Amino acid sequence: MESIFHEKQEGSLCAQHCLNNLLQGEYFSPVELSSIAHQLDEEERMRMAEGGVTSEDYRTFLQPSGNMDDSGFFSIQVISNALKVWGLELILFNSPEYQRLRIDPINERSFICNYKEHWFTVRKLGKQWFNLNSLLTGPELISDTYLALFLAQLQQEGYSIFVVKGDLPDCEADQLLQMIRVQQMQRPRLIGEELAQLKEQRVQKTDLERVLETNDGSATLDEDEEDLQRALALSRQEIDMEDEEADLRRAIQLSMQGSSRSISQDTPHTSDTHLTSEELRKRREAYFEKRQQQQQQQQGPPGQLSQPCERPTTSSGAPVSDPGDAMSEEDMLQAAVTMSLETVRNNFKTEGKK
C-alpha cells in the first residue's frame, strides 16, 4: 500500500488530485490546469465572436469562466484536455454508446467520478482495484465482486462516472502489485472524520491529563498532611517523655530530701542513746582504777601471800561473768557503730512505708 501514490485533499484542488492519482505521480499542478482552462476559454470566446460581438450570447460568455474558478475547481473539459496529452479519452459510463458495448467494469482500467464539483479516481493497480478518493486518509481496496456494486451505488447517489480509455503510464505500484496481492485490515476514514477523531482524542487526552494533575496535587497534599500528622505525633511523644523524666527527677529529689531530713532529725536522739568516745574513755579509766583497788585489797598487808580469787562457775563449768567487768574500747566502738547503722536502716524502712 505504501507504493501507491495518493494525494490528499488540499483546498478545492480535487481535479488536480484526481488526475495525479490516476496517473500515479505529480504530473499536474494548479498552474498547468489553469493554463488549460484559459486556453479553453479563449477558444470558446473566438467561436462565440463569430456570431457577433454585440450578440446576447457573446455578452453572456464574457462573464467569469465556466472552466475554472478562484476556489480551484476545474471543469470536465479541463480534465479531458489534460488527459489528451497522455493519449487518454473519457467516455460517460452510463451513456447509450458505452452501454451497448456491454463491457464488464472489471475489464476496464480506471474510472473518474464526479459529484457536486468533486472529482476522484477509481483505478486498477496490478490485479486489484483501489478507490483513490483524495478525501480519504489513504487508498481503499475494492474487491472485484464489489466494484460493480460500488459504481452502481455512486450512480444512485447522483455521481457522473467516466471510463478512462487508453494506456496509462507505467508506475511502480502497478508493477509491484502484478506480483503480489495486498490485504487491507482496516478501511481508511474520511479526512474530516479523522480530524474530528484526532481533535476528540486531543480533548480527551487534555481532560485526562488535567484529572491526573488534579489527582497528583491532592495526593501530594494528602502526603504532606500525613507527614505533618506524624511529625506532630512524634513531637507529642517527645514532650510526654520529657515530662515523665522531669517528674521522675522531681520524685527522686523529694525522696532524697525526705530521707536527709529524717536522718538529721534522728541524729540527736541517737547521740543521747549511744556513748561517745569521750564517755568510753572515762569509763575505761574508772574501770582500771577499780581493778587496781581490788588487787590491793586482795594482797593485804605486806608479807602476806595472796590467794587467787576463784570465780564462780555454772553447772556446765563455764565461769560466771562479773557484772562489773567492762568491754574493751574496741568492742564498745564497734557496738556503737552497729547500733547507729541499725537506726539509720530502720528510719529508711519507716520512710518507705509512708
Side-chain angles (χ1 to χ4, degrees):
M1 298 288 282
E2 291 79 7
S3 62
I4 299 176
F5 181 84
H6 179 255
E7 276 189 358
K8 297 180 181 180
Q9 187 72 26
E10 292 182 5
S12 299
L13 299 175
C14 54
Q16 171 195 323
H17 305 320
C18 174
L19 290 171
N20 289 339
N21 289 339
L22 173 68
L23 301 174
Q24 284 293 286
E26 296 180 356
Y27 291 95
F28 291 99
S29 67
V31 176
E32 295 172 339
L33 294 178
S34 298
S35 177
I36 296 174
H38 286 303
Q39 183 180 355
L40 290 172
D41 290 341
E42 185 63 24
E43 293 176 357
E44 292 174 359
R45 187 190 65 80
M46 292 177 63
R47 286 194 298 268
M48 295 297 296
E50 294 176 356
V53 293
T54 59
S55 64
E56 185 68 26
D57 293 337
Y58 184 79
R59 287 196 297 268
T60 304
F61 175 78
L62 293 178
Q63 300 298 321
S65 172
N67 292 307
M68 62 172 293
D69 59 23
D70 296 336
S71 67
F73 167 79
F74 295 97
S75 65
I76 182 61
Q77 288 81 10
V78 176
I79 295 175
S80 179
N81 281 16
L83 291 176
K84 285 179 181 180
V85 178
W86 296 92
L88 301 173
E89 183 183 1
L90 295 178
I91 300 176
L92 192 61
F93 179 70
N94 57 352
S95 64
E97 294 79 9
Y98 184 79
Q99 292 299 322
R100 282 195 297 267
L101 298 176
R102 296 182 181 277
I103 301 175
D104 190 343
I106 298 177
N107 298 325
E108 298 292 351
R109 294 293 299 170
S110 59
F111 300 92
I112 289 180
C113 307
N114 172 258
Y115 178 70
K116 293 184 178 181
E117 300 183 351
H118 178 67
W119 302 91
F120 70 91
T121 295
V122 178
R123 174 175 172 170
K124 190 175 187 178
L125 293 169
K127 299 178 181 180
Q128 296 174 289
W129 284 89
F130 295 91
N131 177 10
L132 303 178
N133 193 338
S134 59
L135 292 177
L136 295 175
T137 57
E140 180 184 14
L141 180 63
I142 301 176
S143 64
D144 293 344
T145 56
Y146 182 66
L147 177 63
L149 296 174
F150 179 71
L151 295 175
Q153 181 181 358
L154 291 178
Q155 285 182 315
Q156 290 180 357
E157 293 177 358
Y159 276 84
S160 299
I161 303 174
F162 299 89
V163 182
V164 180
K165 289 293 186 178
D167 295 332
L168 295 168
D170 293 335
C171 63
E172 180 184 357
D174 186 56
Q175 296 174 0
L176 182 61
L177 294 176
Q178 289 288 346
M179 298 180 292
I180 61 174
R181 297 178 66 89
V182 298
Q183 294 182 352
Q184 192 170 42
M185 304 303 296
Q186 185 177 2
R187 294 187 177 276
R189 296 175 177 269
L190 291 173
I191 293 178
E193 294 179 356
E194 184 185 34
L195 292 176
Q197 184 179 9
L198 291 175
K199 182 178 180 181
E200 183 179 358
Q201 290 177 355
R202 286 196 295 268
V203 171
Q204 292 177 354
K205 183 179 179 181
T206 304
D207 294 339
L208 179 60
E209 291 176 351
R210 189 180 298 109
V211 171
L212 292 176
E213 289 177 358
T214 303
N215 291 338
D216 292 342
S218 60
T220 304
L221 292 176
D222 293 340
E223 292 177 358
D224 294 340
E225 185 176 357
E226 291 178 0
D227 295 339
L228 179 59
Q229 293 296 333
R230 284 195 294 269
L232 292 175
L234 291 175
S235 177
R236 294 194 198 96
Q237 291 179 1
E238 293 177 357
I239 292 174
D240 293 340
M241 293 177 63
E242 292 176 357
D243 292 342
E244 291 178 359
E245 292 178 357
D247 293 340
L248 181 60
R249 286 195 296 269
R250 284 194 295 271
I252 293 174
Q253 185 177 2
L254 292 174
S255 176
M256 294 176 65
Q257 292 176 356
S259 299
S260 301
R261 287 194 299 269
S262 176
I263 294 172
S264 62
Q265 292 174 358
D266 294 340
T267 300
H269 176 73
T270 55
S271 61
D272 295 339
T273 305
H274 300 284
L275 299 176
T276 63
S277 58
E278 182 65 21
E279 293 176 344
L280 290 175
R281 186 182 62 81
K282 291 181 179 180
R283 290 193 178 189
R284 182 168 173 272
E285 291 178 355
Y287 168 75
F288 282 114
E289 292 178 355
K290 183 178 180 179
R291 290 287 296 178
Q292 188 177 3
Q293 293 177 359
Q294 290 179 354
Q295 289 178 359
Q296 292 177 356
Q297 291 178 0
Q298 290 178 359
Q299 289 178 359
Q304 184 180 354
L305 297 174
S306 62
Q307 295 180 358
C309 180
E310 295 182 359
R311 304 184 69 175
T313 60
T314 61
S315 59
S316 59
V320 178
S321 58
D322 186 359
D325 294 346
M327 292 186 298
S328 66
E329 183 178 2
E330 289 80 2
D331 292 339
M332 294 179 69
L333 288 173
Q334 184 66 32
V337 171
T338 301
M339 292 182 67
S340 298
L341 291 175
E342 287 293 335
T343 303
V344 172
R345 192 178 295 112
N346 292 333
N347 291 333
F348 273 113
K349 289 182 180 181
T350 304
E351 185 66 23
K353 290 181 180 181
K354 293 180 179 181

